[in-house]
Amino acid sequence: MVLIAPSILSADFGRLAEEIIEAEQAGVDMIHIDVMDGHFVPNITVGPLVVEAVRKVTKLPLDVHLMIMNPEKYIQDFINAGADIITVHLEACIHLNRVVGQIKEKNIKAGVSLNPATPLSFIDEIIHEIDLLLIMTVNPGFGGQQFISSCLDKIKRAKSMILSRGFNALVEVDGGVKLENSIEIVKAGADILVIGSAFFSATNYKEFMRKLREQLNLIKFL
């Protein structure tokens, strides 16, 4: 089953606890938390304190996406706050193998993310060690951007790389995912869909999830 991870970047932070509870009641599978530092990406969002607050209101897995420089300095803080998955950007890590090992030695799932223009081949030497490969389908930094359609081929190649080598990493897709393109993204090989503005702008989260699941169930017949 494809996993759905709403990104709280697009949630109403004035009622964040309620937003997360409503998302959980709607049937989502995990909560995606985008952490930005204003250096690696041109935006500043949240830190460990918000992750800790989210942890208090849900038992769903917390999928923490670090779009920050020097992530190794803060990994323990996010683990202490309650992260279940920590994803770092290949582009932000000089010693990526060391950072992945730092995450996994704490019995936390480790992910690596690639920006749209970063070649898939750059992950070749680490793909066997990670639990999750996050393919960015927008340039990171802001929510509400349009899906970069040329990334569909990258998703296909990523899934093929993982399956052909017998590895277990899940393919996560983040950026411009919505009802209208979810089928083609999943058909390309996505295991996890990160949905931000399309989810949190819906007037009824349960109805959104019903429509999404209904669409994805059609894939087996296409």
Side-chain angles (χ1 to χ4, degrees):
M1 183 180 75
V2 177
L3 303 177
I4 308 302
S7 168
I8 66 167
L9 181 64
S10 298
D12 179 354
F13 271 68
R15 53 186 300 273
L16 184 57
E18 292 90 341
E19 290 271 62
I20 292 167
I21 291 169
E22 289 173 15
E24 182 171 2
Q25 291 173 343
V28 306
D29 301 291
M30 57 181 68
I31 301 296
H32 188 85
I33 303 175
D34 289 308
V35 178
M36 306 180 190
D37 63 357
H39 296 283
F40 179 66
V41 293
N43 196 6
I44 299 174
T45 56
V46 304
L49 288 177
V50 171
V51 175
E52 185 177 357
V54 173
R55 177 79 289 162
K56 290 177 181 178
V57 299
T58 182
K59 293 183 179 179
L60 289 175
L62 300 187
D63 177 22
V64 178
H65 179 192
L66 300 184
M67 288 176 269
I68 64 176
M69 299 300 296
N70 307 121
E72 64 276 4
K73 294 182 179 180
Y74 308 100
I75 285 169
Q76 189 60 55
D77 292 332
F78 285 102
I79 292 173
N80 293 345
D84 297 288
I85 306 167
I86 294 180
T87 297
V88 298
H89 269 260
L90 177 145
E91 303 88 355
C93 297
I94 297 174
H95 303 290
L96 182 59
N97 181 273
R98 182 183 298 165
V99 177
V100 168
Q102 182 183 351
I103 298 169
K104 292 182 72 71
E105 71 183 9
K106 302 296 184 179
N107 294 317
I108 300 296
K109 290 184 178 181
V112 171
S113 182
L114 302 180
N115 284 338
T118 301
L120 186 63
S121 59
F122 284 17
I123 205 74
D124 193 69
E125 302 299 331
I126 196 74
I127 189 67
H128 62 288
E129 295 189 27
I130 63 177
D131 302 292
L132 184 151
L133 175 59
L134 172 53
I135 304 294
M136 292 299 301
T137 47
V138 298
N139 289 294
F142 300 95
Q145 299 184 65
Q146 292 296 311
F147 181 86
I148 299 174
S149 59
S150 60
C151 291
L152 279 172
D153 182 65
K154 190 177 188 179
I155 298 167
K156 292 176 184 176
R157 288 183 286 112
K159 190 65 174 181
S160 178
M161 172 193 287
I162 292 166
L163 292 177
S164 65
R165 300 185 189 186
F167 300 144
N168 298 313
L170 297 178
V171 176
E172 183 172 53
V173 175
D174 183 0
V177 180
K178 49 190 176 182
L179 283 172
E180 292 78 6
N181 59 16
S182 60
I183 288 180
E184 61 180 345
I185 294 170
V186 171
K187 286 178 69 177
D191 301 296
I192 305 172
L193 298 179
V194 176
I195 307 179
S197 57
F199 181 89
F200 283 107
S201 65
T203 55
N204 186 310
Y205 299 160
K206 287 185 179 180
E207 181 63 12
F208 179 91
M209 286 297 295
R210 185 193 67 76
K211 290 180 179 178
L212 179 60
R213 295 291 189 199
E214 191 174 77
Q215 280 195 177
L216 297 182
N217 285 338
L218 291 174
I219 293 176
K220 66 185 75 173
F221 303 109
L222 298 177

